[in-house]
Amino acid sequence: MKPLVRNAALSNYVEVSQSLGIDPRSLMKHVGLNHVDLTVQDRWISGVAVAQLLELSATASHREDFGLLLAERRRFSNLGRISLVIREEPDVRSILELLVRHEYMYNEMLRSRLSGANGLATLKVSLDLGEAMAARQAVELAVGSFHRVLRTFLGTRWQPVAVCFTHSAPADTRTHRHFFGPAVEFDRDFNGIVFYASDLDTPNPMSDPLLRTYARQYFESIAVSKDTTVLDRVRELIEVLLPTGRCSIEQVACSLGVDRRTVHRHLSASGETFSSLLNATRTQLAEQLVANPRRSLTEISRLLGFSASSAFSRWFSERFGCSPREWRRQRAGQQLFAEE
């Protein structure tokens, strides 16, 4: 399977594109992405499609700094749930080590490594796209995002010793020098950031020692295994896509960057079909949602991807042997009996 990235990788993509006079919708459609889906930051999409989109956008806008224009708008929260844990880490070293060790939780094509020698620390950044293709913009976005994280904890006046790129310099380097400072270098043998090793020992001013234990416990509960299976990915995508009304195997395959036959093959190897997984996921969600009296059945119908409440009621009755209203009434009675 090709690597995936969170939708957050394209945060502010629409706004930056429009400011440069290019059409983000048509460009996204060209690579198989939908601009509407960007509203859900934690949804996973094809990393290859994202890299292709950034290259197309740079060409269409005649801006070799397109990736950096996105990086300039990066926020700490774009990292997703892992940001809640990072903000409680005691120092910069611990923060970077956590980001590097668990990079697959927010970007499966990212390959980063932190090393140190002779008083210097080097954060090397590369991308594994699973195929040979241009990815200059995606690389600059990745390096720029790490740079933003470092400045979050080291201060806006912090300057690296060097910021290195393997590709050649753009015709206009003003954005790069404004973003990284005067130490940006091109045609080097790696992509990444070089800085003083002593910076790693800088305390995190946001950290609360009392909250760190809770943050770590939370992290352990959300941490995804690096060996996440295709079955897990499909189940996760079904949950995300159901409320949009566009939960189909074609849409899942598009998000995974493969064709529907590949999805069928992987599910079959696990003894599942798309329909069986869809029904199982819906059933699990339905139990949770219908049991909550604060949610209307109309709202639940929409969240489970049904076009009409009547269709939801028929499906629910077939699965549970009674209407959702009756099931809720019975569940409430059981809880009342248990309390007595």
Side-chain angles (χ1 to χ4, degrees):
M1 297 292 289
K2 295 179 180 178
L4 305 177
V5 299
R6 292 173 60 251
N7 262 340
L10 290 177
S11 291
N12 299 117
Y13 169 77
V14 172
E15 293 82 354
V16 170
S17 297
Q18 290 175 336
S19 72
L20 298 177
I22 60 176
D23 183 3
R25 299 184 182 185
S26 62
L27 289 172
M28 291 187 71
K29 184 177 180 180
H30 184 76
V31 299
L33 299 176
N34 190 319
H35 72 284
V36 176
D37 298 332
L38 295 184
T39 57
V40 184
Q41 277 209 124
D42 285 324
R43 180 185 167 189
W44 291 86
I45 54 178
S46 166
V48 169
V50 169
Q52 291 174 334
L53 177 64
L54 297 182
E55 293 302 315
L56 286 173
S57 302
T59 301
S61 61
H62 305 289
R63 295 293 298 258
E64 292 181 279
D65 56 0
F66 190 89
L68 278 190
L69 295 179
L70 288 181
E72 281 183 330
R73 301 194 180 200
R74 275 294 179 268
R75 299 175 60 184
F76 184 54
S77 59
N78 291 142
L79 288 168
R81 292 178 292 179
I82 197 172
S83 65
L84 298 175
V85 185
I86 289 170
R87 65 176 295 160
E88 302 304 335
E89 291 300 296
D91 52 41
V92 173
R93 182 189 307 277
S94 183
I95 289 166
L96 282 183
E97 288 178 347
L98 195 68
L99 280 175
V100 169
R101 187 163 61 252
H102 297 283
E103 59 192 12
Y104 59 89
M105 286 187 63
Y106 54 93
N107 189 330
E108 290 184 345
M109 65 181 183
L110 184 63
R111 300 290 182 270
S112 52
R113 183 165 61 88
L114 180 65
S115 60
N118 301 319
L120 295 176
T122 301
L123 178 65
K124 292 186 177 180
V125 179
S126 62
L127 301 178
D128 182 2
L129 294 163
E131 60 182 271
M133 60 175 291
R136 177 189 183 116
Q137 302 305 321
V139 166
E140 293 199 352
L141 174 57
V143 173
S145 296
F146 270 117
H147 186 273
R148 294 280 289 186
V149 169
L150 285 167
R151 277 207 164 175
T152 297
F153 296 99
L154 292 171
T156 56
R157 294 185 178 182
W158 172 79
Q159 291 287 345
V161 174
V163 175
C164 307
F165 293 106
T166 58
H167 48 256
S168 58
D172 186 345
T173 62
R174 282 179 295 179
T175 301
H176 291 76
R177 299 196 182 283
H178 171 74
F179 189 94
F180 296 116
V184 61
E185 302 175 8
F186 298 91
D187 295 311
R188 293 290 303 272
D189 57 356
F190 70 94
N191 299 302
I193 304 171
V194 181
F195 53 100
Y196 292 111
S198 57
D199 291 336
L200 292 171
D201 299 320
T202 302
N204 172 14
M206 292 190 286
S207 177
D208 183 335
L210 295 178
L211 284 177
R212 190 186 180 202
T213 300
Y214 294 110
R216 281 288 183 166
Q217 289 174 348
Y218 167 72
F219 181 73
E220 290 172 2
S221 70
I222 65 167
V224 180
S225 169
K226 197 168 186 177
D227 300 321
T228 300
T229 65
V230 175
L231 186 68
D232 296 327
R233 283 284 182 230
V234 174
R235 185 182 290 109
E236 179 182 332
L237 284 168
I238 287 174
E239 288 191 26
V240 172
L241 290 170
L242 275 174
T244 71
R246 294 183 290 108
C247 186
S248 65
I249 190 169
E250 288 80 12
Q251 188 65 45
V252 167
C254 180
S255 296
L256 292 172
V258 297
D259 57 35
R260 57 178 295 166
R261 290 191 302 274
T262 301
V263 177
H264 273 308
R265 186 171 65 252
H266 281 283
L267 293 182
S268 179
S270 301
E272 295 278 3
T273 66
F274 183 75
S275 295
S276 69
L277 204 56
L278 174 62
N279 267 318
T281 304
R282 262 183 173 156
T283 299
Q284 180 183 6
L285 292 173
E287 285 190 277
Q288 298 170 4
L289 294 170
V290 177
N292 184 351
R294 290 188 296 273
R295 289 193 180 275
S296 70
L297 296 181
T298 300
E299 180 188 11
I300 294 171
S301 172
R302 179 184 60 79
L303 291 173
L304 294 178
F306 290 97
S307 57
S309 297
S310 57
F312 164 59
S313 293
R314 286 194 299 272
W315 172 86
F316 191 93
S317 296
E318 291 173 0
R319 302 291 294 184
F320 293 88
C322 63
S323 70
R325 196 176 304 279
E326 178 61 28
W327 190 91
R328 174 178 282 177
R329 189 180 300 114
Q330 293 175 4
R331 188 65 172 264
Q334 292 171 357
Q335 290 178 344
L336 182 61
F337 180 79
E339 291 174 1
E340 293 177 351

